[in-house]
Amino acid sequence: MTEALLVDRTDAVVTLTLNRPSAMNSLNVELKEALRDTLAELEADRSCRAVVLAGAGKSFCAGQDLREHVATLESGSTNSLDTVQVHYNPIAARLSSMPKPVVAAVRGMAAGAGASLAFLADIRVGGPSTSFLMAFAKVGLAADTGASWTLPRLVGHAKAVELLMLAEPVRAEEACRLGLLTRMVEDDEGVLAAAQELAARLAAGPTVAYGAIKRQLSVADAGTLADALAAEAQAQAICGGTADHRAATMAFVNKQPAVFEGR
């Protein structure tokens, strides 16, 4: 049986590949559980300093496996959407709070929860065939996997309403303009390599500082200036005590390149 989630380690970069290409990498229970549990492991793994999230084949992720979902509905189950609490929420929480950079290699279609996964990454790399579709309303559902939180922060409230309610595809160039994509490469075949190259660059950086930047931005997004200032003070207290800060400061003074060890 083929593994639903492939885990590949290259130095300090871990690439997670959603591996159901014949189903456009749609999220069945096996894949959701593997992704949830692996993200939890990587969060605590200090040897991992950057994560790449990718999809096998020509699509990133088509969202929830609706064939599996139909079977659940037809079974008469009264908790057919418990997967939100059991799978999608923990996955979203892990991705958003991951104390190291996350790069999404978004090749092809990212729809529904698949698009939501991409939006939780810190950086999203796409190619000419990349597109996003907030498909939830097409099947009578509201947003999940954090899209109600990430999407307005990426494109603004009004555009988020439009994308979620009209459920129209957003092609690559428009996605770049809106900020759904961070970078776009000329060839779809180069999307994963470009994402992994960025992840390797980040993995060689100040990992503790990157985690602190993510936390303070999250606080600032939802809070007041006072909240942001408090988060900045806390972040600097943590980062200022790291070996990376001390070494990089000495390297700067001595006009030498900084070498970060992620601690």
Side-chain angles (χ1 to χ4, degrees):
M1 183 176 179
T2 303
E3 291 184 49
L5 182 70
L6 302 180
V7 181
D8 176 71
R9 291 175 179 262
T10 302
D11 299 323
V13 176
V14 176
T15 299
L16 304 179
T17 302
L18 311 178
N19 189 38
R20 303 186 67 225
S22 62
M24 296 179 67
N25 301 315
S26 58
L27 298 157
N28 63 357
V29 169
E30 180 190 4
L31 179 51
K32 286 181 285 191
E33 290 183 345
L35 182 59
R36 178 196 63 195
D37 297 345
T38 302
L39 288 171
E41 293 170 4
L42 292 179
E43 183 175 313
D45 183 355
R46 295 189 64 179
S47 70
C48 168
R49 293 173 61 187
V51 176
V52 174
L53 187 61
K58 296 183 178 181
S59 297
F60 178 71
C61 177
Q64 172 64 37
D65 184 334
L66 292 181
R67 293 183 183 276
E68 184 180 75
H69 185 58
V70 164
T72 304
L73 291 173
E74 291 180 341
S75 72
S77 172
T78 58
N79 55 0
S80 61
L81 284 171
D82 275 4
T83 187
V84 173
Q85 292 283 4
V86 175
H87 303 118
Y88 289 126
N89 285 1
I91 289 170
R94 291 289 184 190
L95 282 172
S96 66
S97 65
M98 183 69 65
K100 55 204 78 178
V102 179
V103 181
V106 191
R107 179 180 174 182
M109 173 62 73
S116 301
L117 290 176
F119 298 156
L120 287 159
D122 301 304
I123 294 176
R124 290 163 297 283
V125 180
S129 74
T130 299
S131 63
F132 295 96
L133 177 63
M134 304 313 295
F136 300 102
K138 286 183 173 291
V139 290
L141 291 174
D144 63 32
T145 320
S148 65
W149 187 84
T150 56
L151 196 55
R153 284 164 173 76
L154 291 171
V155 302
H157 180 90
K159 192 66 178 180
V161 171
E162 176 188 339
L163 295 179
L164 285 165
M165 288 192 175
L166 298 184
E168 296 172 342
V170 181
R171 306 299 179 190
E173 288 188 4
E174 177 71 356
C176 266
R177 188 185 69 81
L178 290 174
L180 299 178
L181 280 178
T182 311
R183 295 189 177 183
M184 193 169 109
V185 299
E186 294 182 355
D187 185 352
D188 290 322
E189 296 298 325
V191 170
L192 179 58
Q196 290 175 324
E197 182 179 345
L198 269 175
R201 173 181 165 186
L202 291 164
T207 310
V208 177
Y210 290 152
I213 288 168
K214 292 174 68 167
R215 288 191 299 274
Q216 66 184 192
L217 287 175
S218 179
V219 170
D221 274 342
T224 63
L225 174 59
D227 296 329
L229 293 174
E232 288 177 358
Q234 182 185 44
Q236 296 299 53
I238 293 170
C239 295
T242 62
D244 278 346
H245 168 64
R246 292 192 296 274
T249 302
M250 294 302 296
F252 179 84
V253 170
N254 294 320
K255 297 182 179 181
Q256 297 173 341
V259 177
F260 298 103
E261 297 181 359
R263 58 186 181 85

